Amino acid sequence: MKRTLFLITLIGFLLSPGFLLAQKEAVSDTIVLKSGGIIVGKIWKYNIRKGVIMQHTDGHLMEIAADHIARVTLQSGGSKVSKPENKDISVRIGGKPYAFREKGFYYTLSGGALFGQTPQNGQELGVGLHATSGYLFHHLLGAGIGLGFDNYSVTGYDGRQVMTVSAETRGYLTKGNRAPYYTLQAGYGFAFKDEEVGVLEANGGIMLHPALGLRLGAREDVNFSFDIGYRFQRVTQVREFNPWSNERQEERIWYKRFALQLGLIF
């Protein structure tokens, strides 16, 4: 009789809500780091590309970048929800997670300086502003269209402004928070006549701009970029030098400019 009573009591205790809850809380997820360390707790969010948000067994919340993780073992089943409310991440292991969109639409905005020489072999400084929109098929290959405005002389002659429409191809050579990339733009530049500064006629021409750059950051929303390239632009102008004598001169200009640009990638 005493043995039966003991078994009933034991079974009741094992099936009690408190005991079951304690057993449930005892189930923990495990992360093995590439450095050899092991972290035990409850995973609240797991993304194979970005990393893990985990609540350690001592209660604090931590974020671990994917490139520091060797293996993840899920036991608690809590990896499908966001981090607990009203709790800040107090520990971060690794740098910013790699979250760059390798496929899909992209947008860029860039501006920079154009360095070159005048027809008289003097130094000339220009500036440009450009925007592109396109689609990445793979991190190595994307295609888009662009619109830009260049002033090839901010320190010399007036009337050196050109608006460009171009097609673009680009690609990122590695996967990482910093990645080298290439771009190639080809299109047409529209020149503008300006009678106030003596440009009576203006015709544009082909434009070509190859460049190599570095993407700084790998976020989903916006990243910085820096590139170095060479810009070619064909322009023909009829310029009036002396309105009293009707002296005019046709200039067939082939701009060749070393270009440094800073930009944003969306």
Side-chain angles (χ1 to χ4, degrees), residues 61-94:
L61 210 62
M62 60 197 318
E63 182 178 8
I64 307 171
D67 56 359
H68 284 254
I69 297 174
R71 186 172 70 254
V72 175
T73 303
L74 298 174
Q75 298 291 341
S76 66
S79 61
K80 299 295 190 295
V81 299
S82 300
K83 69 177 183 178
E85 295 181 359
N86 302 322
K87 287 193 176 184
D88 295 325
I89 295 173
S90 56
V91 178
R92 295 181 186 271
I93 299 178

Side-chain angles (χ1 to χ4, degrees), residues 16-118:
S16 66
F19 180 81
L20 293 177
L21 181 60
Q23 294 303 306
K24 182 178 180 180
E25 290 179 348
V27 176
S28 299
D29 303 318
T30 303
I31 296 177
V32 179
L33 301 177
K34 291 181 179 179
S35 63
I38 298 176
I39 302 174
V40 178
K42 181 176 181 180
I43 291 177
W44 290 92
K45 192 171 184 179
Y46 177 36
N47 185 300
I48 194 170
R49 293 176 57 193
K50 298 180 182 179
V52 168
I53 294 178
M54 182 181 206
Q55 189 169 11
H56 195 268
T57 52
D58 63 9
H60 69 263
L61 210 62
M62 60 197 318
E63 182 178 8
I64 307 171
D67 56 359
H68 284 254
I69 297 174
R71 186 172 70 254
V72 175
T73 303
L74 298 174
Q75 298 291 341
S76 66
S79 61
K80 299 295 190 295
V81 299
S82 300
K83 69 177 183 178
E85 295 181 359
N86 302 322
K87 287 193 176 184
D88 295 325
I89 295 173
S90 56
V91 178
R92 295 181 186 271
I93 299 178
K96 295 180 180 179
Y98 180 78
F100 183 71
R101 295 194 308 271
E102 294 181 351
K103 186 175 181 180
F105 290 100
Y106 70 88
Y107 309 92
T108 73
L109 179 64
S110 61
L114 303 168
F115 303 92
Q117 292 183 329
T118 65

Side-chain angles (χ1 to χ4, degrees), residues 252-264:
R252 297 181 179 179
I253 306 170
W254 187 231
Y255 291 117
K256 300 175 183 179
R257 295 291 187 265
F258 182 68
L260 296 177
Q261 294 190 129
L262 295 174
L264 299 172

Side-chain angles (χ1 to χ4, degrees), residues 110-114 126-130 148-152 154 162 231 260-262:
S110 61
L114 303 168
V127 294
L129 182 66
H130 308 93
F149 183 82
D150 297 304
N151 185 345
Y152 285 93
V154 296
V162 179
R231 197 167 187 87
L260 296 177
Q261 294 190 129
L262 295 174

Side-chain angles (χ1 to χ4, degrees), residues 159-178:
R160 303 294 192 187
Q161 295 81 27
V162 179
M163 185 178 72
T164 59
V165 177
S166 61
E168 175 191 76
T169 181
R170 71 167 50 221
Y172 302 90
L173 304 182
T174 62
K175 297 182 178 182
N177 289 340
R178 294 181 180 87

